[in-house]
Amino acid sequence: CRDIAVIERTSGAYKANIIEALKRLGIDVFDDSRRALATEPLFVYLMSAIDCITNSFSTESIMAYLKTGLTGMSCQDIATLEKYALIWGVTGKNWTNDFTMHPDGFGKEFRDKDTERLEKINELRRRSVAPLLKLKKDCKILKTLMSLLSHITILLQIIMTQLTKML
């Protein structure tokens, strides 16, 4: 096996063309380009989790946290939860209590299927906020930065468990 390195002196002007050509030829490509840390899923996951517990569970922070792909929730489940949150303007501590409003919005009558949908939404909500509530509880008890970092490590272990289950 021989390794080939392609080094480009320009600022990436040919990068996309080179990668595409190598892939077409069946050659595996490792792109060692610099990427902004703020776009990396793990960084977004951690920052969103911290933002959730420091900004009282804003919907924006919770959605950023869920959409990293590191929570073990499907895109469909996240979309279902987001739709409910947008319809009813869910924010703050509403995320920590069961939802009670109709999944389709104001003025709708509850039928059996709507009650089942609402229970599924609440199950998704509980799954979403459980690790965040644990982190928040642990952070209230602990005051030092090292303690916070050790609990973030626990949060990362939860991710690894969820990702392992997905494989």
Side-chain angles (χ1 to χ4, degrees):
C1 178
R2 295 183 183 172
D3 291 334
I4 300 171
V6 177
I7 300 171
E8 183 181 8
R9 297 186 92 178
T10 62
S11 61
Y14 301 104
K15 176 178 153 182
N17 295 342
I18 292 170
I19 290 174
E20 180 61 32
L22 292 172
K23 284 184 178 180
R24 258 187 286 140
L25 294 170
I27 299 172
D28 292 329
V29 176
F30 171 71
D31 179 13
D32 193 22
S33 301
R34 290 183 185 246
R35 289 175 279 208
L37 184 61
T39 63
E40 294 297 319
L42 181 58
F43 181 79
V44 174
Y45 177 87
L46 293 173
M47 294 308 295
S48 299
I50 292 168
D51 197 40
C52 284
I53 66 171
T54 58
N55 291 323
S56 302
F57 296 92
S58 73
T59 297
E60 182 180 339
S61 297
I62 289 177
M63 286 301 126
Y65 164 80
L66 293 175
K67 290 178 181 181
T68 61
L70 300 176
T71 61
M73 289 182 65
S74 71
C75 292
Q76 180 63 43
D77 288 345
I78 295 167
T80 299
L81 199 53
E82 185 174 31
K83 179 181 175 186
Y84 186 92
L86 292 173
I87 287 172
W88 291 108
V90 176
T91 190
K93 72 177 191 174
N94 293 333
W95 281 101
T96 62
N97 300 315
D98 277 350
F99 299 148
T100 58
M101 305 301 280
H102 195 288
D104 291 328
F106 185 71
K108 306 285 183 175
E109 279 188 43
F110 267 100
R111 294 195 167 90
D112 288 342
K113 67 175 185 163
D114 300 322
T115 304
E116 290 172 14
R117 281 179 46 222
L118 183 60
E119 184 51 42
K120 178 179 171 36
I121 292 169
N122 274 313
E123 188 270 322
L124 295 172
R125 179 200 57 76
R126 285 187 287 274
R127 271 184 41 209
S128 300
V129 299
L132 299 171
L133 290 172
K134 181 180 179 351
L135 180 63
K136 185 172 183 163
K137 179 183 171 196
D138 292 344
C139 288
K140 281 184 180 177
I141 296 168
L142 308 163
K143 301 294 180 190
T144 67
L145 179 59
M146 289 306 292
S147 297
L148 176 62
L149 291 176
S150 71
H151 283 4
I152 287 175
T153 302
I154 292 168
L155 190 62
L156 290 172
Q157 290 170 344
I158 291 170
I159 294 173
M160 293 307 295
T161 302
Q162 291 171 339
L163 290 175
T164 303
K165 288 178 185 176
M166 290 171 38
L167 299 176

